[in-house]
Amino acid sequence: MCGITGYIGYREAYPIIINGLQRLEYRGYDSAGVVLYDGSQINLSKTKGKVSDLIEKVTGQISKKGNLGIGHTRWATHGVPNDVNSHPHTSQSGNLVIVHNGIIENYDTIKKELVNRGYIFQSDTDTEVLVNLIEEIKKQDNVKLGKAVQIALNQVVGAYAIAVFDQTKPDEIVVARLGSPIAIGIGKDNKEFFIASDASPFIEYTKNAIYLEDEEMAIIRLGRDVKIRKIKDDSLVDAHIQKLQLNLEQIEKGGYEHFMLKEIYEQPHAINDTYRGRLLRNAAIIKMTGVEDNMKRFLNANRIIIVACGTSWHAGLVAEYLFEDLARIPVEVEYASEFRYRNPIISEKDIVIAISQSGETADTLAAIKLAKSKGAFVFGVCNVVGSSIARETDAGAYTHAGPEIGVASTKAFTTQITVLSLIALRLARAKGTITSSDYRYHLQELELIPKKVKTLLTIDDKVKYIAGIYKGVSNFLYLGRGYNFPVALEGALKLKEISYIHAEGYPAAEMKHGPIALIDENMPIVVIATNKGHYDKVVSNIQEIKSRKGQIIAIVTEGDVVVKEIADHVIEIPETHEAFTPLLTTIPLQLLSYHIAVMRGCNVDQPRNLAKSVTVE
Ligand code: G6P
C-alpha cells in the first residue's frame, strides 16, 4: 500500500502534490517521488526515505514548476526501498510516467515478454513492467493512452490503483483501480482536477469528489470532464460526485506534538460522536439502522463470525465477550488473513461482522467476499465513510471517530468497541437476554464513558513518569482476564509497534504456562486488575509475579486498596460496568506506549516498516 497524489489544472502542482503526499504518509513512507510537467518536459525526482527527504532532494535538483504532476509515497512490496525502485516510473521512451499502489502478480511473465521485445528495466518493480506494457500496447495497437491502459489492465493479475500520463499529451491523466482506492477531486468548471488515494490531499481545494469503484478507470481531461469506464468491457459509467464531509482541521495536529497523542485525547469526543443519535438513554432505545433493518437475521443467526486484522481484531475479541455475555449469541473471532485461506464452514444463517478502521484492509476485504460467496450476511464496522469495506458489506455501522492518522490505532479501537457494545446491547434487548433495568443501567454507564475517559486523561503525567522508569527495558508483559484480556493484547501491540520493545499480551492465568519463566526483577508487567471480573484471581496472579520479583504496573479501579499494597505502580480508572472497562483500561496503556516511544526517540506517528492501511495481503 502506498499513497498516490496528482494534479492537473492552473495552479502550481508541486505544493499540492507534496502536501498531499505528507497527508498520505500513513499509507507508507519508505520512499517518495514526484514528477512535474513544466510545459515542455517532465522533471522527476525520487528518493528512498520520507516525503521530507524528497523535499530536500527536489530543492536545487529539479524545477518545481508545472501545472501537471503526480506523486507517490511508497511501502515496498517488489524491490527494496531505494531511489531506483521509488515511484514515479517512466516508460522506456521516457514519455509515459506512472505511480502505482498494489501488486502486479504476473509481472514476471510480462517482463520476460517485454525484455524479448528489447525493453530494458532500471528497477526491480512490477510498476515499471506495467508502464512499459502500456507503452508497448500504445505503440503496437496505435491507440490513445486511455485505451492502452485499459488493454494492459486486462492483461495483468493483481491489485492496483494507478495514475499515469503521457508527456506528449499533457492535458489528461488516466487513473484506474482494482483493490486500492482512488479519489478524484473536481475543481470548478473542470478547470482543475486532483487525484489521491483518499480525499485528504485536496480537501482545501474542493468538496466534490468521485471515488472510483473496483475495475473502473477514469480519463481526466483538463477543461473537459472525467470519463469513467469499466476496465473489463469498456462500458461507460455515470460519474457519481460525492460531497466531502472532511475538513482541514480534522487532519491537522491541532497543537499536539503527534497525531497519536491528539487522537488519544480526542477519544472522549470520538466516543460521544459514535453513540450520538444512536443511544437515546431517556427513551431507553438504541437506534442503529443497519441493525434494525436486519434484526430478523441477527435474531435468527446461528453464530457471529468476526473478521479483522491488527487492532480491529482486538476490538473483535472484546466484542466476543460482549455478544456472548449480553446477547448470548455464539461468536468466533478470526484473523481475516487466516479465515480467507482455511476453507471455513459458513452457512446462510451465519452473520459475519468485519471490523476495519480504514475499510481498505486487503485481507478483511477478501474475507468479506468469501463470506458473501457462501451466502452469509456481512455487516461492516468501519471508520472511513465510503471505503471499500463499507461498500462491500450488506449493512453496517460507522464508528464516526474522525480521521485517524497516527499509524498506531487508538480512537479507532475505542470507538469500534463502542459501536459493538451498542449492537450487543440492542440485540440483547431484542432477544430478551437482558432485563429492562439492567439494560437501562448499561445505557447509562455507556453514556458516561466519554466523561470518564476525559477524567482518566488527567493521569497523563503519572503515566509519563512511569514511562521514564521503564523506557530502557527490552521486554514487557501485559496481563488481563475476561473483557480485559484483549486489552492486554492491544496494550502489548501498541508498545511494540511504536517503541520497538518486545511485548506480549497474555490472559493472566495462562502466565503460569510459559511466560512466568521470563519474570525476574528486570521484567515490567502491566496487569489489568479492575474490581470486577475475576479480581481475586488477578490478585493471585499479581502475587505470583511479585514473588518472582517482577515489576508490576497495575491498572485498578479507583479506591482499590489490595493491589496498591503489592504493585510497584498503580494507575486508577473510574468505576464502570465490567463490560465497558476496556474503554477505560485501554487509555493508560495507549499513553504508556506513547511516552515510552517518544522518550526512546522513535517516530511515533510513522513507526518503521508499518503502514496504516494495509491494502496488500
Ligand atoms: C495496520 C495498522 C493497524 C490496523 C490494521 C488493520 O496494520 O497499522 O493499526 O489495526 O492495519 O487495519 P484496519 O484499517 O482494517 O482496521
Side-chain angles (χ1 to χ4, degrees):
M1 53 280 153
C2 309
I4 289 177
T5 52
Y7 176 79
I8 181 167
Y10 56 88
R11 302 177 209 247
E12 287 299 327
Y14 178 74
I16 297 171
I17 290 170
I18 289 292
N19 282 339
L21 288 182
Q22 280 176 321
R23 286 183 198 156
L24 291 177
E25 270 192 312
Y26 73 88
R27 303 182 62 83
Y29 36 78
D30 60 39
S31 39
V34 61
V35 63
L36 302 161
Y37 178 74
D38 67 6
S40 59
Q41 61 168 35
I42 54 166
N43 295 303
L44 189 153
S45 182
K46 53 189 194 171
T47 183
K48 177 178 175 203
K50 297 206 159 47
V51 178
S52 54
D53 298 303
L54 176 67
I55 297 170
E56 244 175 66
K57 190 165 180 183
V58 166
T59 311
Q61 190 205 18
I62 61 161
S63 154
K64 295 179 192 165
K65 290 256 154 281
N67 312 119
L68 161 62
I70 51 178
H72 190 263
T73 176
R74 179 170 186 242
W75 188 84
T77 54
H78 284 70
V80 294
N82 61 27
D83 292 2
V84 178
N85 288 334
S86 309
H87 299 214
H89 287 281
T90 42
S91 63
Q92 183 131 305
S93 71
N95 287 338
L96 306 191
V97 206
I98 195 170
V99 288
H100 166 218
N101 167 21
I103 297 176
I104 306 298
E105 288 168 15
N106 57 341
Y107 83 104
D108 209 26
T109 326
I110 301 172
K111 189 172 182 175
K112 280 184 188 131
E113 274 180 40
L114 291 169
V115 168
N116 287 340
R117 290 174 189 222
Y119 282 80
I120 297 164
F121 288 86
Q122 317 294 326
S123 75
D124 307 319
T125 63
D126 48 351
T127 309
E128 198 188 359
V129 175
L130 180 58
V131 72
N132 279 319
L133 175 65
I134 297 169
E135 175 154 293
E136 178 63 12
I137 292 168
K138 196 169 172 293
K139 210 164 59 187
Q140 290 298 329
D141 297 3
N142 193 19
V143 287
K144 290 187 179 159
L145 177 64
K147 192 73 202 166
V149 169
Q150 188 190 17
I151 297 170
L153 293 180
N154 276 308
Q155 292 180 16
V156 304
V157 178
Y160 51 76
I162 58 163
V164 54
F165 73 88
D166 178 352
Q167 67 160 320
T168 66
K169 202 175 172 302
D171 59 351
E172 65 177 32
I173 301 181
V174 178
V175 296
R177 88 158 262 178
L178 175 60
S180 297
I182 278 278
I184 304 164
I186 318 287
K188 215 170 159 226
D189 302 328
N190 291 331
K191 284 196 184 114
E192 60 178 348
F193 296 100
F194 305 82
I195 295 156
S197 301
D198 71 37
S200 62
F202 54 77
I203 195 66
E204 62 264 55
Y205 302 104
T206 178
K207 294 276 187 226
N208 295 329
I210 297 172
Y211 288 90
L212 282 194
E213 297 287 339
D214 271 349
E215 301 187 340
E216 283 179 2
M217 58 179 287
I219 302 173
I220 301 164
R221 304 186 296 179
L222 187 59
R224 294 172 71 184
D225 55 11
V226 176
K227 271 233 146 51
I228 303 176
R229 290 184 181 276
K230 291 261 176 227
I231 294 168
K232 268 205 184 114
D233 61 14
D234 200 35
S235 56
L236 269 176
V237 177
D238 282 340
H240 172 59
I241 299 178
Q242 294 189 28
K243 276 266 170 255
L244 298 171
Q245 302 298 330
L246 199 66
N247 62 53
L248 200 55
E249 216 176 62
Q250 288 176 304
I251 53 171
E252 287 180 335
K253 280 192 204 148
Y256 286 90
E257 205 182 328
H258 297 99
F259 279 112
M260 181 180 178
L261 191 62
K262 176 186 174 227
E263 287 155 8
I264 290 173
Y265 272 82
E266 276 174 351
Q267 287 174 111
H269 192 72
I271 294 171
N272 195 64
D273 282 350
T274 304
Y275 68 58
R276 191 149 37 105
R278 291 168 166 167
L279 192 168
L280 312 174
R281 188 172 57 85
N282 287 341
I285 288 175
I286 290 174
K287 245 173 59 184
M288 299 179 90
T289 321
V291 178
E292 293 312 323
D293 291 353
N294 298 288
M295 188 55 92
K296 245 193 186 153
R297 277 179 186 275
F298 274 103
L299 296 182
N300 292 332
N302 278 341
R303 61 179 177 159
I304 291 175
I305 303 166
I306 296 178
V307 291
C309 301
T311 290
S312 298
W313 184 76
H314 293 155
L317 289 178
V318 176
E320 180 177 14
Y321 287 86
L322 287 163
F323 284 116
E324 295 200 342
D325 191 12
L326 299 172
R328 310 302 297 148
I329 304 174
V331 176
E332 285 169 36
V333 188
E334 301 252 8
Y335 283 117
S337 53
E338 287 299 314
F339 177 81
R340 61 181 287 197
Y341 285 121
R342 67 164 182 76
N343 194 14
I345 299 166
I346 311 167
S347 84
E348 285 173 10
K349 289 198 85 180
D350 289 329
I351 290 189
V352 171
I353 299 183
I355 308 173
S356 174
Q357 187 285 128
S358 62
E360 299 294 344
T361 303
D363 283 320
T364 310
L365 198 53
I368 291 168
K369 288 181 178 160
L370 174 70
K372 277 175 80 176
S373 74
K374 303 214 174 204
F377 172 76
V378 185
F379 189 92
V381 174
C382 294
N383 188 35
V384 178
V385 176
S387 56
S388 303
I389 292 176
R391 289 196 308 243
E392 190 65 38
T393 41
D394 298 306
Y398 285 117
T399 48
H400 298 307
E404 191 183 65
I405 293 165
V407 166
S409 191
T410 52
K411 63 176 179 172
F413 180 64
T414 45
T415 54
Q416 284 165 347
I417 295 174
T418 306
V419 162
L420 293 159
S421 301
L422 289 170
I423 301 173
L425 280 169
R426 178 65 192 100
L427 297 180
R429 193 71 195 114
K431 286 189 75 175
T433 52
I434 191 168
T435 63
S436 112
S437 63
D438 220 10
Y439 179 67
R440 278 177 185 276
Y441 172 60
H442 275 80
L443 296 193
Q444 178 190 322
E445 284 299 309
L446 191 54
E447 203 181 25
L448 287 172
I449 290 292
K451 220 173 174 183
K452 291 181 179 174
V453 173
K454 205 165 177 187
T455 313
L456 189 49
L457 284 165
T458 59
I459 46 117
D460 197 0
D461 280 346
K462 183 171 189 182
V463 179
K464 195 168 175 181
Y465 166 77
I466 298 171
I469 299 173
Y470 296 103
K471 64 175 190 281
V473 303
S474 312
N475 296 289
F476 249 93
L477 200 57
Y478 286 73
L479 303 176
R481 290 182 89 129
Y483 277 100
N484 282 297
F485 156 55
V487 176
L489 295 181
E490 175 60 8
L493 175 65
K494 259 341 46 124
L495 186 71
K496 67 185 140 197
E497 65 183 344
I498 61 169
S499 73
Y500 318 137
I501 294 175
H502 170 246
E504 280 188 60
Y506 250 81
E510 274 293 305
M511 177 188 69
K512 290 192 280 296
H513 302 287
I516 199 164
L518 297 169
I519 296 175
D520 62 15
E521 65 278 13
N522 300 317
M523 175 68 111
I525 298 133
V526 177
V527 188
I528 304 163
T530 52
N531 63 1
K532 315 244 166 46
H534 324 294
Y535 177 72
D536 294 341
K537 306 277 177 209
V538 179
V539 171
S540 306
N541 298 139
I542 292 176
Q543 301 277 18
E544 287 157 9
I545 298 166
K546 213 55 221 165
S547 52
R548 283 151 187 97
K549 299 195 171 58
Q551 301 285 306
I552 295 168
I553 303 162
I555 314 295
V556 300
T557 313
E558 56 195 1
D560 182 287
V561 282
V562 180
V563 176
K564 248 184 205 157
E565 288 294 310
I566 325 167
D568 298 271
H569 311 278
V570 165
I571 297 167
E572 290 187 337
I573 63 150
E575 175 89 50
T576 187
H577 189 283
E578 187 192 355
F580 305 136
T581 51
L583 292 167
L584 301 180
T585 50
T586 304
I587 310 292
L589 305 194
Q590 294 170 344
L591 288 169
L592 183 66
S593 45
Y594 171 77
H595 288 302
I596 290 181
V598 171
M599 287 172 190
R600 286 168 71 95
C602 299
N603 187 338
V604 171
D605 283 334
Q606 295 176 344
R608 69 184 179 208
N609 305 337
L610 296 180
K612 181 132 196 90
S613 180
V614 181
T615 55
V616 292
E617 64 168 284

